[in-house]
Amino acid sequence: MARPAEVVPTPAAPEPRDTTGATVAPPQRAMPRGTTWLDERVGLAKLGKAGLRKVFPDHWSFLLGEVALYAFVVLLITGIFLTIWFRPSMAEIEYAGTYELMRGRHVSEAFASTLDISFDVRGGLLVRQIHHWAALLFVAAVTAHMLRVFFTGAFRKPREVNWLIGVGLMATSLIAGFSGYSLPDDLLSGTGLRFVDGLIRSIPVIGTWAEFFVFGGQFPGELLISRLYMVHILLVPAIILGLISAHLALVVYHKHTQFPGPGRTEGNVVGYPLFPVYMAKAGGFFFIVFGALILMGATLSINQVWLYGPYNPAQVTAGSQPDWYMGWLEGALRLIPPGWESHWGGTTWTWAVFLPGVGLMGLLFTVLALWPFVEAKLTGDTSEHHLLDRPRNAPTRTALGVAGMACYGMFWINGANDIIATQFNVSLNAVTVAIRVLVFVAPVIAFIVTRRICLSLQRADRERVLHGSESGILVRDPEGGYAEAHAPISQEEAFALTQHKQYEPLEASETEDEQGVRRRDPNAVSGFTARMSRWFVGDDVRKPTAAEIEEAHHHDASDDDKPRQLV
């Protein structure tokens, strides 16, 4: 299928004509000298004509990706400022800066430079807090953007590669956030590093070697901050920048997806051109995001390292909590009873740390990466998709997504089980046991309830197409019965409610031919795949056919002829 064409909903300008009525060719504008020089060498006019007229649809949910992009730009700007004064060294010095409560204590150069940025560099504390808030917003926007893509089916053919890039971007953003969070070498970030040290050592067979490689020896070592600094300002930003560039390039190549509506098909894009409309809107939105981050950095204090003090391996901060995007792993570790381990040969396999930490994270990103291919296998769909799904029209997918969010939420809440216990004056063990149950029960309840809601909404859409919308007027027939009159919906709305593709459950293929020889067909459907397909799409409410719509409209028209008494 050819890539969708672009449709710009702007009225065409009238052609200029002379006094005789003949069409006059518009005058050709001369290009500025500098532009001509570039055009002769790099084809600027051709690139500009193709790029500046690129059409983008207009919907609020598409701004989630833009928020992530703009937050990354703010991270780069503020990160350059912080790099000038930060000293990535674990060498011990005596603090002699402005903060009197810490003066005279032995701290690392990294911690001392963080205090200097906060108290001695003009605007340093503001930039530090903007940088931290932008990091949190970046991860949140990437996560929300991926959820939008998942629930609307924007990962389907031909965008599977872009989905994989998004999964990689999400994983890399976690590394970027955690590596930057650990650079100040304060007691809270050091507690987080102890957490990561335990995860690394729990990896079977190679855990100890990996720990020595990362920390340059036993924890905490003397090289970790300098290594994290290199990762945080060079390696990870370069990877993120490359992934974002590849992501945007594929968006331009495939054209943007769009929600169903009047005039929107799989073969076009309805929206506004990049220049001047979308460029002006995007530029304004960037300054809104930047301004909101500045406001948050100026009024909402975060990561007050001077309250925690320098890192000491013998100490742990009371009620320590990681940034929100690592809270779910913290909660998963707190759910597993300690002491769950095996001893094979000369090695110890610490399942209580490895499975909820390394294993759970690996499971999450593996499931996310494989999902587009799993769904294509269950539906047997090999066609291209440029129109998005309404979440209700994919009830099982939507229910699975909400169930995953419920499971994530239980882990995330348990990451603060000690805070919950102290603030609500309840038993810590009671909170942990309750969430151990809910982490299995809540996703099941969320799946059932969400799927039922989606199927009910599908039935409501079907009834709306067949019988129209409620008019709000009650009528009484001669027998005394009451009913509400329905008004027919427009053809545009009917199209939007019925344009989605309807899938039939797959049937299992014959495994043997007439001679009893086992078939070797790569496109064969196994019995397991057929059963899973029936579970995935078998309960979807069928769209009304053209004959059903015509019969329903004829029936409604005949009912209108009956005498009724208005109430």
Side-chain angles (χ1 to χ4, degrees):
M1 180 178 178
R3 287 185 291 142
E6 298 174 340
V7 177
V8 184
T10 54
E15 296 181 347
R17 299 177 181 274
D18 59 15
T19 55
T20 63
T23 303
V24 179
Q28 299 294 326
R29 294 183 179 180
M31 297 177 63
R33 181 172 299 179
T35 306
T36 303
W37 187 89
L38 285 174
D39 181 48
E40 292 173 349
R41 287 157 180 79
V42 298
L44 183 64
K46 184 177 180 181
L47 293 174
K49 182 179 180 181
L52 295 180
R53 299 302 297 172
K54 186 65 61 179
V55 172
F56 291 87
D58 192 27
H59 193 272
W60 69 265
S61 65
F62 299 145
L63 299 179
L64 296 173
E66 292 187 33
V67 172
L69 176 62
Y70 301 152
F72 181 69
V73 173
V74 175
L75 284 171
L76 293 179
I77 296 172
T78 54
I80 293 173
F81 178 92
L82 297 174
T83 302
I84 298 174
W85 284 281
F86 182 74
R87 297 188 297 274
S89 172
M90 299 179 71
E92 190 174 280
I93 63 173
E94 182 178 324
Y95 178 70
T98 303
Y99 189 62
E100 293 186 2
L101 297 179
M102 202 67 64
R103 188 175 298 170
R105 293 190 58 178
H106 291 276
V107 300
S108 67
E109 285 195 76
F111 184 80
S113 65
T114 304
L115 293 182
D116 291 340
I117 293 173
S118 302
F119 297 113
D120 298 320
V121 176
R122 188 182 296 273
L125 181 59
L126 175 63
V127 175
R128 264 197 66 228
Q129 297 193 151
I130 293 173
H131 190 77
H132 201 125
W133 281 118
L136 297 180
L137 180 62
F138 176 67
V139 182
V142 169
T143 304
H145 180 62
M146 287 198 65
L147 288 174
R148 197 275 301 172
V149 171
F150 176 82
F151 284 118
T152 59
F155 55 80
R156 295 173 295 177
K157 182 182 178 180
R159 294 175 177 83
E160 300 95 335
V161 174
N162 222 358
W163 170 260
L164 294 177
I165 291 174
V167 174
L169 187 59
M170 183 178 180
T172 311
S173 67
L174 299 182
I175 300 174
F178 186 80
S179 60
Y181 173 82
S182 305
L183 287 179
D185 199 30
D186 60 285
L187 186 56
L188 182 59
S189 65
T191 302
L193 284 174
R194 171 65 81 179
F195 173 88
V196 172
D197 173 61
L199 294 184
I200 295 175
R201 282 193 293 168
S202 71
I203 301 175
V205 182
I206 66 168
T208 304
W209 299 341
E211 179 196 24
F212 274 63
F213 173 77
V214 172
F215 293 94
Q218 290 185 336
F219 179 85
E222 298 179 353
L223 303 173
L224 181 61
I225 296 300
S226 59
R227 291 183 175 182
L228 284 177
Y229 186 69
M230 176 192 67
V231 169
H232 185 69
I233 71 168
L234 291 177
L235 181 61
V236 174
I239 295 175
I240 292 178
L241 191 59
L243 291 175
I244 290 177
S245 301
H247 177 75
L248 294 178
L250 286 177
V251 168
V252 172
Y253 176 74
H254 291 138
K255 304 252 188 316
H256 210 294
T257 54
Q258 58 185 345
F259 283 94
R264 301 172 184 177
T265 67
E266 297 282 5
N268 68 359
V269 177
V270 178
Y272 298 96
L274 176 62
F275 181 83
V277 179
Y278 198 81
M279 188 176 292
K281 294 175 64 176
F285 189 54
F286 167 75
F287 287 107
I288 291 175
V289 173
F290 203 167
L293 289 172
I294 293 174
L295 181 63
M296 294 170 67
T299 59
L300 304 176
S301 183
I302 191 172
N303 200 20
Q304 300 164 321
V305 295
W306 53 90
L307 298 181
Y308 312 136
Y311 179 61
N312 186 338
Q315 299 175 349
V316 176
T317 53
S320 59
Q321 302 293 319
D323 279 341
W324 73 267
Y325 49 84
M326 299 299 293
W328 68 288
L329 285 179
E330 175 88 10
L333 279 170
R334 296 185 184 189
L335 279 182
I336 305 299
W340 184 21
E341 59 186 28
S342 303
H343 302 277
W344 294 340
T347 62
T348 299
W349 300 56
T350 310
W351 305 114
V353 179
F354 175 76
L355 289 181
V358 181
L360 191 61
M361 186 178 293
L363 177 64
L364 171 65
F365 288 107
T366 300
V367 170
L368 288 177
L370 294 180
W371 179 255
F373 311 98
V374 171
E375 181 169 320
K377 183 74 173 179
L378 296 181
T379 59
D381 186 11
T382 59
S383 60
E384 290 191 2
H385 294 272
H386 303 286
L387 284 178
L388 298 173
D389 277 337
R390 301 169 77 204
R392 67 183 64 181
N393 292 329
T396 306
R397 180 212 296 153
T398 302
L400 286 173
V402 175
M405 293 170 62
C407 184
Y408 179 95
M410 293 300 104
F411 287 134
W412 191 68
I413 291 174
N414 197 60
N417 59 355
D418 53 343
I419 305 297
I420 294 173
T422 57
Q423 294 299 314
F424 293 94
N425 196 24
V426 296
S427 168
L428 175 62
N429 291 334
V431 174
T432 304
V433 170
I435 297 182
R436 281 177 184 167
V437 175
L438 288 174
V439 78
F440 295 102
V441 175
V444 175
I445 296 176
F447 177 86
I448 295 173
V449 171
T450 303
R451 198 162 184 263
R452 297 302 304 172
I453 291 174
C454 290
L455 292 175
S456 298
L457 291 174
Q458 282 188 334
R459 294 189 186 95
D461 287 345
R462 176 184 171 88
E463 291 299 316
R464 187 174 180 84
V465 172
L466 290 176
H467 304 294
S469 62
E470 294 84 354
S471 63
I473 300 175
L474 292 178
V475 297
R476 186 175 67 185
D477 58 27
E479 289 76 20
Y482 292 91
E484 183 178 9
H486 284 67
I489 61 176
S490 64
Q491 292 185 354
E492 290 80 7
E493 183 181 358
F495 170 78
L497 294 178
T498 58
Q499 59 75 38
H500 60 281
K501 191 170 184 178
Q502 195 91 62
Y503 298 104
E504 296 292 338
L506 301 178
E507 298 293 336
S509 305
E510 295 291 338
T511 58
E512 297 179 353
D513 57 16
E514 294 79 3
Q515 287 75 33
V517 179
R518 185 176 181 83
R519 300 177 184 270
R520 293 187 177 181
D521 184 4
N523 297 322
V525 178
S526 65
F528 175 77
T529 302
R531 289 191 297 272
M532 293 301 296
S533 176
R534 195 158 45 249
W535 169 78
F536 191 74
V537 299
D539 293 331
D540 290 4
V541 177
R542 300 290 97 182
K543 294 190 300 184
T545 63
E548 290 175 331
I549 295 175
E550 183 178 357
E551 181 182 358
H553 289 177
H554 176 73
H555 176 72
D556 293 339
S558 61
D559 286 346
D560 290 340
D561 296 335
K562 297 179 181 179
R564 289 171 177 170
Q565 181 177 352
L566 294 179
V567 179

